[in-house]
Amino acid sequence: MTAPMAVIGGTGLASLDTLKIAHRETRATPYGEPSSPLIWGELAGQTVVFLARHGQHHTIPPHKINYRANLWVLHHVGVRQVIAVAAVGGIRADMGPGTLAFPDQIVDYTWGRHSTFFDKDLSHVTHIDFTEPYSAALRERLIQAARDLQLDARETCTYAAMQGPRLETAAEIRRLERDGCDIVGMTGMPEAALARELGLRYAACAVVANWAAGKVPGEITMAEIERNLVAGMDKVKTLLMRVIPVLESA
C-alpha cells in the first residue's frame, strides 16, 4: 500500500480523530527511529498517513526530533505530499491566537540539528534550490480550502524557526520582527529542507497558539497555549477534511 499524502501533527495534534484508522506501522530507517509509528487510514475518502512529530505522547522536544527519520520513512512508504501542522507564536499584528497561517517563507535560526541527507558517502556535493521553501501548489490548495470554509487564515507570512525548547525573550522577538518574521515556531526547520531534498511537496499549516513574547503584557503559559490550540486544531481538522480530497492532482 502506498499513500499519496501525509499529515505531520505537531503540538496540539498528536493524533487525528477524524482519521478512520486502518493499521499502525513501525519502521526503522537508516537514520534511526521516527518520532512515532505511521498511522494509516482514510480521511475524506483518501488514504492518509499520520505521523506525530513530538511522539505519541508529546515527549520529544523540538531539538531532539529525528527529522531525517520522519521524512525518510514517509518518502519510503510512497508519500509524495505532506501537510505539516505546527503551533506557533504570533508576531505580526494580525497573527492573534487561533489564527491559521500558511507560511510562504522561512528563516532558520536553529543550530546543531541534522539538517541534510547529503552529508556522507557522497560522490558529489548537492545543493537544493530553496528560494521558495514550500510547495506553491499545495499552499494554494490549503488557502483555497480555508477561503471556502471562511476560516480566519493568513495566506502569506514568514516563519521564524527557533531552537527551543524554551520560548523566546521579548528582545529576540523584536529581532525576529526586524528580520521580517511574522510567526515563530521550533519545528519548521530542518523539516522543510529535508522534504525538499526528497522531492516531497510540502506545505505548513500553522496555528497561532499565543502572542509571541513581549507582544502583550505578562507571561506566556502552557495553559494559555493549550486552550488556544483546542479551538485552533478543530479548524485544522475541518480544513483537512476539505483539502485532502483535492490533493492528488496538486
Side-chain angles (χ1 to χ4, degrees), residues 105-180:
Q105 283 294 325
I106 192 164
V107 182
D108 187 9
Y109 300 93
T110 66
W111 50 269
R113 302 182 182 189
H114 294 295
S115 58
T116 181
F117 293 107
F118 303 117
D119 63 352
K120 64 179 181 178
D121 301 324
L122 303 177
S123 59
H124 62 279
V125 176
T126 299
H127 301 286
I128 59 166
D129 174 69
F130 209 49
T131 306
E132 303 294 336
Y134 302 101
S135 164
L138 190 48
R139 284 189 68 254
E140 183 55 38
R141 295 302 176 100
L142 287 166
I143 289 167
Q144 188 57 56
R147 289 175 182 171
D148 293 343
L149 293 166
Q150 298 183 322
L151 296 175
D152 186 19
R154 305 295 172 260
E155 298 179 1
T156 180
C157 58
T158 297
Y159 178 116
M162 300 295 281
Q163 179 70 3
R166 67 168 177 83
L167 299 177
E168 298 73 36
T169 67
E172 287 171 331
I173 294 301
R174 290 194 296 271
R175 174 201 174 189
L176 299 184
E177 193 166 17
R178 290 193 299 270
D179 286 351

